[in-house]
Amino acid sequence: MSTAILTGPPVAGSSLEADLRTLGFDVRTAGDPSGTAALLAQVPAQERVALVDPRFVGHLHALRLALTDPRFPAAAVPGALTVQPAARAALDRAAARIPVGAGTAHLTDLLTDTLTDALDRADAGLHRVELGSLVATLALTPAQREEARAAVAAVDDEAVRLRTAVKSRDGFFTTFFISPYSRYLARWCARRGLTPNQVTTASLLTALIAAGCAATGSRGGFVAAGVLLLLSFVLDCTDGQLARYSLQYSTLGAWLDATFDRAKEYAYYAGLALGAARGGDDVWALALGAMILQTCRHIVDFSFNEGSEFEGGAGNAGPAVALSDRLDAVGWTVWARRMIVLPIGERWAMIAVLTALTTPRIVFSALLIGCALAACYTTAGRVLRSRARRARRTDRAARALADLADHGPLVELLTRGGRGRTRTGSLLAPVMAFLSSAVLLVWVISQPRPASWLTVGVAACSALLAAAALSRPLKGALDWLVPPFLRAGEYLTVLVLAARSGDHGALPAAFGLVAAVAYHHYDTVYRIRGGTGAPPRWLVRATGGYEGRILVITVLAALLPATGFTLALTALAVVLALLVLAESIRFWVSSQAPAVHDEGEPA
């Protein structure tokens, strides 16, 4: 239940009370500031409370944005203020401090705005809604009221609501081929009481059915898979637009949306590989390679973004940013650059069309080429920006990068005494991380029989190099490269050992293992984004960390025959999946977990 308090007597001819009831508020009326304080004291502290000046004139959607968005402790537009339990104590203190008596009319007459300013000064997490073309104002005279009503009539707030349901920054395919109609599907869902979580689940189920169709290996199955994959993407866009249209944000919804995209795409890769196998073409190595490349691309994105918090501001990012700004001034280059990075819309459209018209081998080959070019483009630009920047990374950003590195007990033991400082221009950490992965990969690729105890020794040396990379705070200009280097080394080592094992089931088992580990890494990212930090240290230790998993896998490869190695990879995948999923689900469905809403670059 939510309560709205009108801070004065209702205005004749106003629909404000009806609008507040439409938004789900129980409306109460106060005659003066003291009456407002009395009513405020009657509202339980665990409920949302809104204070609205009866002279408010504006669009219903402006009120909706100010009073019903669950993401902010407090939010306001002129004449209307809402507070959730997290900021309720600050509101009570602000209300108690408002003076009464002669000379206070300028404070009490505009009570909502006075309280809004007080919450802002108290740093209570106040969000001032950006209205754009919407109207929200206090009309103090009849003339102002008529003028405000005319301004309201001049703007269709439903059209604004539909337009703003779409991400402000999205890919070309999504913007021009999906969003023009998916927004209306979102409105249709809202009017029938469907929730974003239900649409997200429908998108997942549709993608899983598409993967099942691809697994049949028939041309009809491939065509159906392509169509269903596109339909899944339409629903994937719809769930976010429905959340923005109806302001149905939730912690669970944020987690589902963040994880289901990867689950859908990687399950589809597995379906394609199974379908190809039915036709006699083994493409599991390509499927696993595509998943590894896509995951490493995301780790590059996450590491760069999480590591982009600097002491004293961002500093000078050099000519790379200047060139980017000049390119953004030319309309067509904006879309070209968004397409080059192969975001989810373009990527899924390519996969769907190629699935329907060609073979799984061609699908994965095109995907690997496209993602590799996109990775080179984005990583090169970020390296140029980082090299030109002279600012020092904050402790929080360095901690985030260390958490993304996902080091286990062995590296933790080896780095226990490391307390040195890192210079901004130091390349020690990224060079050591690169060598940690490169030495191991060159060895397993070059050896005629990589499953040996010598490989275990090389893996131990790789762990020592990783410890050297993580021995100091990751505050260097290019230290954000450490997590992606370590991820690439781990994933590719599993791929090579499985491919060289000689057992046909090893690559599907390796696919499952990498998928489980990748889920753990994505979960780490979204927890850090939410401001709660990495998963608990016990979980990281239990999963072995980067170096622990590699050592276990190389020991299993050296110790077991090919079929035994496949069984061991399968068992390891199941154990890790159950472990990380159980902890992830516990965290994200708990009331303490933060909601994460990605409105930035498309994934």
Side-chain angles (χ1 to χ4, degrees), residues 353-412:
V353 171
L354 291 178
T355 298
L357 300 180
T358 64
T359 66
R361 181 171 291 275
I362 293 176
V363 174
F364 286 124
S365 298
L367 188 60
L368 285 167
I369 293 171
C371 286
L373 291 175
C376 290
Y377 170 78
T378 55
T379 305
R382 287 166 177 171
V383 168
L384 290 174
R385 290 174 182 235
S386 299
R387 290 298 295 161
R389 184 176 280 130
R390 293 292 179 262
R392 184 176 175 81
R393 191 169 284 113
T394 64
D395 291 338
R396 192 216 66 82
R399 179 72 260 166
L401 292 181
D403 290 335
L404 289 174
D406 191 36
H407 60 281
L410 178 57
V411 168
E412 189 176 0

Side-chain angles (χ1 to χ4, degrees), residues 156-502:
D156 184 351
D157 71 335
E158 179 60 21
V160 173
R161 188 182 180 190
L162 269 177
R163 186 179 69 250
T164 54
V166 178
K167 270 187 178 182
S168 59
R169 183 179 178 85
D170 228 329
F172 179 86
F173 180 77
T174 305
T175 299
F176 294 102
F177 292 91
I178 303 297
S179 293
Y181 57 87
S182 62
R183 69 184 74 183
Y184 295 101
L185 178 58
R187 181 171 66 181
W188 182 90
C189 292
R191 290 177 174 176
R192 282 152 184 81
L194 297 177
T195 67
N197 292 353
Q198 291 170 333
V199 178
T200 302
T201 304
S203 176
L204 174 67
L205 294 175
T206 304
L208 293 179
I209 295 172
C213 291
T216 64
S218 64
R219 177 50 52 194
F222 287 149
V223 172
V227 172
L228 287 171
L229 186 64
L230 285 177
L231 176 58
S232 175
F233 182 63
V234 171
L235 293 173
D236 182 59
C237 294
T238 300
D239 65 357
Q241 292 166 359
L242 174 59
R244 287 182 286 274
Y245 180 84
S246 57
L247 301 182
Q248 295 184 72
Y249 299 106
S250 69
T251 297
L252 179 61
W255 174 66
L256 294 177
D257 188 56
T259 56
F260 278 13
D261 279 351
R262 303 288 80 78
K264 290 181 286 188
E265 187 167 0
Y266 297 161
Y268 191 82
Y269 292 176
L272 277 178
L274 288 170
R278 285 178 175 271
D281 189 11
D282 187 354
V283 296
W284 275 105
L286 294 178
L288 180 51
M291 181 169 69
I292 290 171
L293 180 54
Q294 186 58 32
T295 302
C296 288
R297 281 186 64 201
H298 283 139
I299 295 298
V300 168
D301 294 341
F302 298 146
S303 296
F304 180 79
N305 291 332
E306 293 303 324
S308 294
E309 182 180 289
F310 298 92
E311 296 174 358
N316 179 22
V321 172
L323 176 60
S324 177
D325 292 340
R326 286 198 298 271
L327 289 175
D328 282 343
V330 182
W332 67 269
T333 63
V334 174
W335 295 114
R337 293 169 67 203
R338 292 188 190 180
M339 293 174 69
I340 287 173
V341 301
L342 204 64
I344 188 170
E346 278 75 1
R347 192 168 67 248
W348 282 27
M350 181 184 75
I351 294 171
V353 171
L354 291 178
T355 298
L357 300 180
T358 64
T359 66
R361 181 171 291 275
I362 293 176
V363 174
F364 286 124
S365 298
L367 188 60
L368 285 167
I369 293 171
C371 286
L373 291 175
C376 290
Y377 170 78
T378 55
T379 305
R382 287 166 177 171
V383 168
L384 290 174
R385 290 174 182 235
S386 299
R387 290 298 295 161
R389 184 176 280 130
R390 293 292 179 262
R392 184 176 175 81
R393 191 169 284 113
T394 64
D395 291 338
R396 192 216 66 82
R399 179 72 260 166
L401 292 181
D403 290 335
L404 289 174
D406 191 36
H407 60 281
L410 178 57
V411 168
E412 189 176 0
L413 178 65
L414 293 172
T415 59
R416 182 163 294 175
R419 297 179 182 275
R421 289 173 58 85
T422 300
R423 291 180 300 172
T424 301
S426 173
L427 296 178
L428 175 65
V431 168
M432 290 296 101
F434 173 79
L435 290 176
S436 172
S437 296
V439 166
L440 182 58
L441 285 174
V442 169
W443 174 266
V444 297
I445 291 172
S446 63
Q447 293 302 301
R449 186 177 177 274
S452 67
W453 292 106
L454 281 175
T455 302
V456 177
V458 175
C461 293
S462 173
L464 292 175
L465 291 169
L470 297 167
S471 61
R472 298 187 178 197
L474 297 178
K475 294 190 175 185
L478 295 178
D479 285 1
W480 58 269
L481 287 170
V482 170
F485 280 150
L486 298 182
R487 293 295 75 73
E490 178 183 1
Y491 297 159
L492 289 173
T493 298
V494 175
L495 188 157
V496 174
L497 289 175
R500 302 282 296 281
S501 69

Side-chain angles (χ1 to χ4, degrees), residues 399-416 467 470 486-487 520-521 523-524 527-528 532-549 579-580 583 586-587:
R399 179 72 260 166
L401 292 181
D403 290 335
L404 289 174
D406 191 36
H407 60 281
L410 178 57
V411 168
E412 189 176 0
L413 178 65
L414 293 172
T415 59
R416 182 163 294 175
L470 297 167
L486 298 182
R487 293 295 75 73
H520 168 58
H521 292 146
D523 186 55
T524 300
R527 292 195 195 210
I528 293 173
T532 61
R537 194 63 199 161
W538 70 261
L539 177 66
V540 178
R541 294 190 181 107
T543 61
Y546 151 78
E547 77 288 354
R549 289 187 295 269
L579 185 63
V580 299
E583 164 56 21
R586 182 209 63 78
F587 172 79

